[in-house]
Amino acid sequence: MISEELIKKMNMEMLQNVENAKQNGKKVGLVQGSWDLFHLGHLKYILEARKRCDYLIVAMDSDEKIKKRKGNDRPIIPEEERYEFIQLLNIADSVIVKEANEPKWNLIKSVKPDVLIAIKENYSEEQITELKEFCKEVAILPRQSESSTSDKIRKIMISTKGKQLKGTYEQVLAMIEEMKARVGFTDDLEEPLPMLFENLKDSTDVVCPVSTACFWNGKWYFGANHSDFNIPKYDIINRTELYYATTEHAEMNLLKKLGDVPVLNTPIWTTLFPCDKCMKVLIDKGVKEIFYLEDHPERNWSKRSHELALKNGIKVTQIHLKEEVLEDNQSVNYPDMDSFQYIYPPNARHQEQLDIMMNLEGQNKDPLDPEIIEQEILYMTDYWYISPNRFPYAGVEQQFLIIARNPIYKKEDITKEMWLDLQNIVLDLSAKYNIPGGALCFRFGDPALSGASLKRLHAHLIQPKEENQTKFTIGGHKMLKKGLVLKYFQK
Ligand SMILES: [Zn+2]
């Protein structure tokens, strides 16, 4: 920081020089600014000011003054450096610093310049009239550059693969907590697992934070995946195969940190099984063993990646933190999943949902029976009843469930009258709830193929949010999701 004393001294000198200049008939000009991240626009602006006077004062805001006006992360360049920079340019007769606590227009009032050079955005029409009391002339220049320093900084921040997107860090933290609960994280795990989870906080991927580690040259190295915030937000969030393009994967981030390693003959630890592209790179690097916590075996990239690993003799091992639950799960002799009357457990997404389903099934109750369903019923027709979805999908504006009133489980059992009724409902709902577009989604048949967890026939009428995409999954599972347990409730 430039000391207050020095600033005072500079001001005194400047005022003396200005006085002399005025006495010698010179035209005194004043131009003011922050001059943070000095750029061509700044230079042109000062040169333009230079042309309009014989003696030019360039005033520069102190760090404290800028912080007050533009926030704590500004200025980027500290005042000493900004000051020296303008001095060295040798374009001003006086360079002075404006402090935060100065009264309004203090400098203008004490200098009384012949010409005050400013840009339009700095003063209102009234202020310009008012200013003329203290300066003979107010010269308004256009901005000399297309983008101001603030715009430039904004662009730099957006393009930085960092945590600058509002709320990213918080969302990642929430995802980490979810993952910890999902995989059964405990505090007494051995390294690198605790550090692997800790390192997840370095991820900027709010959809799927991933952390990767390896032991190299006597220490652990970690990498996390990073979203490319140049890509529109909805692409980052609603990606499918775009997955590759929207993130720097954790494995690549790790390799970047390791630097130039010709052969990486050490195991890789990762929270998510590597995608096929990363797998190729890891194979090229000489990796022979991979430990992973989670996987998306249903995704094509995962299938391709497992194939690659197998073909190249890479040993892959899934780490199960919830050992007991899985053993229990496997030791139980589960019935045929198709034997349940109202529900299909393999398509349950989480334990709570599965417990509710199992409890009702145990009582011989159909969870979608209008007498049983624990959610609002908007209205009923002869054949269907309509309920807003209590747990709408991500990216959804409105979502309605249209559920068969009678116990109908096969599409063959839908009568002509029911189809006509359904058609009317779709038209009614669209008009009543102002649905300009969306989709009517209707699963049927083998739940392992349809993806339904409840068997009574029902349709979804979905209107996505504008500029959004929503996913309606078709396709299910044959086995209970890992980590879920079938609990039987007393009848
Ligand atoms: Zn990858």
Side-chain angles (χ1 to χ4, degrees):
M1 257 185 46
I2 303 174
S3 77
E4 242 172 86
E5 279 160 71
L6 187 58
I7 292 174
K8 275 208 182 82
K9 192 169 160 261
M10 290 187 312
N11 271 321
M12 300 260 286
E13 270 179 30
M14 179 272 295
L15 286 174
Q16 190 56 54
N17 291 338
V18 165
E19 206 46 53
N20 293 341
K22 280 184 179 170
Q23 269 169 20
N24 290 330
K26 287 186 176 170
K27 193 176 175 187
V28 173
L30 170 65
V31 66
Q32 319 182 78
S34 307
W35 321 116
D36 192 17
L37 288 182
F38 202 94
H39 57 73
L40 185 63
H42 287 146
L43 182 60
K44 285 183 173 171
Y45 179 47
I46 296 179
L47 287 174
E48 216 33 64
R50 168 93 270 178
K51 283 187 203 161
R52 285 156 204 261
C53 57
D54 310 306
Y55 187 100
L56 179 67
I57 306 158
V58 174
M60 183 195 95
D61 295 339
S62 71
D63 288 354
E64 205 190 331
K65 192 173 170 69
I66 295 175
K67 277 193 204 321
K68 268 192 177 170
R69 199 153 44 93
K70 299 187 176 176
N72 260 334
D73 46 359
R74 297 288 297 275
I76 304 291
I77 310 291
E79 59 193 24
E80 300 92 320
E81 236 177 278
R82 289 183 285 125
Y83 183 82
E84 198 182 347
F85 192 97
I86 300 169
Q87 283 282 17
L88 289 173
L89 281 175
N90 212 13
I91 45 175
D93 298 289
S94 286
V95 184
I96 59 144
V97 179
K98 283 172 77 176
E99 293 187 278
N101 50 10
E102 281 177 24
K104 188 187 169 195
W105 296 352
N106 185 50
L107 180 66
I108 297 171
K109 286 175 184 174
S110 52
V111 170
K112 296 196 178 65
D114 295 300
V115 54
L116 173 71
I117 297 106
I119 48 174
K120 217 177 178 174
E121 289 84 346
N122 293 150
Y123 301 105
S124 68
E125 291 291 323
E126 296 105 68
Q127 281 178 321
I128 290 171
T129 318
E130 216 181 308
L131 276 167
K132 283 184 179 152
E133 201 183 307
F134 311 106
C135 356
K136 284 192 190 130
E137 186 193 342
V138 180
I140 300 293
L141 300 188
R143 259 189 208 283
Q144 296 296 313
S145 167
E146 280 296 295
S147 60
S148 71
T149 301
S150 294
D151 292 336
K152 281 204 174 71
I153 290 172
R154 214 167 291 128
K155 273 184 197 146
I156 292 166
M157 284 176 127
I158 289 167
S159 67
T160 302
K161 294 172 180 178
K163 288 170 179 156
Q164 283 82 0
L165 217 67
K166 217 174 152 245
T168 299
Y169 188 58
E170 290 69 23
Q171 286 180 57
V172 168
L173 286 187
M175 294 296 288
I176 296 171
E177 287 314 307
E178 262 183 47
M179 191 193 292
K180 281 183 171 179
R182 198 164 61 227
V183 301
F185 178 86
T186 51
D187 290 330
D188 54 357
L189 296 172
E190 276 177 50
E191 296 296 2
L193 292 174
M195 282 194 288
L196 203 58
F197 276 90
E198 191 55 32
N199 185 65
L200 276 172
K201 291 179 189 162
D202 193 40
S203 169
T204 59
D205 188 336
V206 298
V207 180
C208 180
V210 180
S211 170
T212 300
C214 74
F215 193 74
W216 188 247
N217 277 348
K219 71 180 254 208
W220 284 104
Y221 283 85
F222 296 90
N225 58 343
H226 292 274
S227 286
D228 182 352
F229 292 123
N230 288 308
I231 292 167
K233 201 176 168 193
Y234 72 90
D235 275 353
I236 299 178
I237 308 289
N238 295 316
R239 63 195 187 217
T240 50
E241 287 292 316
L242 254 177
Y243 195 78
Y244 296 124
T246 53
T247 51
E248 173 182 87
H249 290 190
E251 297 87 338
M252 297 304 111
N253 187 244
L254 174 70
L255 291 177
K256 214 161 79 177
K257 286 182 181 171
L258 287 173
D260 195 14
V261 176
V263 182
L264 193 65
N265 51 358
T266 184
I268 294 288
W269 298 70
T270 182
T271 57
L272 180 67
F273 194 74
C275 74
D276 53 334
K277 294 209 173 177
C278 289
M279 185 61 85
K280 269 183 205 156
V281 177
L282 294 177
I283 290 167
D284 282 349
K285 276 278 166 193
V287 172
K288 289 273 175 264
E289 186 163 23
I290 295 165
F291 294 95
Y292 64 100
L293 277 162
E294 295 192 289
D295 191 6
H296 289 296
E298 76 285 2
R299 297 285 173 90
N300 285 332
W301 59 259
S302 173
K303 287 175 190 159
R304 291 193 296 261
S305 186
H306 276 281
E307 256 170 51
L308 277 169
L310 194 66
K311 222 193 279 171
N312 289 275
I314 312 291
K315 193 177 171 203
V316 299
T317 310
Q318 184 162 21
I319 310 162
H320 295 296
L321 300 179
K322 276 184 175 173
E323 224 52 79
E324 325 82 88
V325 174
L326 281 171
E327 272 166 20
D328 280 357
N329 207 345
Q330 282 152 6
S331 65
V332 173
N333 201 2
Y334 279 146
D336 178 4
M337 288 297 168
D338 291 318
S339 67
F340 296 94
Q341 196 175 349
Y342 305 114
I343 66 172
Y344 185 71
N347 288 344
R349 281 162 307 186
H350 46 82
Q351 191 65 48
E352 193 192 345
Q353 182 196 12
L354 182 58
D355 288 350
I356 296 170
M357 284 161 50
M358 284 296 286
N359 193 6
L360 290 169
E361 174 85 23
Q363 301 173 52
N364 258 328
K365 286 177 178 167
D366 182 346
L368 287 185
D369 184 333
E371 303 292 321
I372 301 292
I373 192 162
E374 277 180 33
Q375 80 189 54
E376 192 193 345
I377 294 176
L378 293 174
Y379 65 94
M380 292 202 180
T381 63
D382 287 346
Y383 303 101
W384 306 89
Y385 72 95
I386 292 89
S387 174
N389 199 341
R390 255 198 312 177
F391 307 107
Y393 302 150
V396 154
E397 179 74 36
Q398 298 191 84
Q399 181 171 2
F400 299 93
L401 289 172
I402 307 167
I403 308 165
R405 274 183 75 170
N406 295 317
I408 291 178
Y409 303 97
K410 288 191 288 194
K411 67 177 187 309
E412 289 76 14
D413 294 340
I414 306 176
T415 59
K416 268 185 195 164
E417 290 75 19
M418 275 189 87
W419 280 119
L420 275 177
D421 194 20
L422 180 64
Q423 182 189 9
N424 281 328
I425 290 168
V426 172
L427 296 176
D428 278 352
L429 280 175
S430 302
K432 225 182 248 171
Y433 292 91
N434 190 23
I435 302 173
L440 178 69
C441 307
F442 198 176
R443 296 186 173 102
F444 65 88
D446 182 355
L449 290 172
S450 78
S453 52
L454 299 172
K455 292 186 174 177
R456 184 183 288 230
L457 288 182
H458 59 280
H460 297 250
L461 184 64
I462 300 170
Q463 177 196 353
K465 283 196 173 77
E466 263 179 48
E467 296 285 320
N468 247 290
Q469 289 172 346
T470 189
K471 285 178 200 144
F472 184 88
T473 311
I474 305 165
H477 304 276
K478 282 187 188 299
M479 305 267 283
L480 209 56
K481 200 176 152 191
K482 256 186 192 147
L484 297 193
V485 189
L486 275 195
K487 295 180 196 160
Y488 291 89
F489 294 82
Q490 292 300 319
K491 293 201 178 188

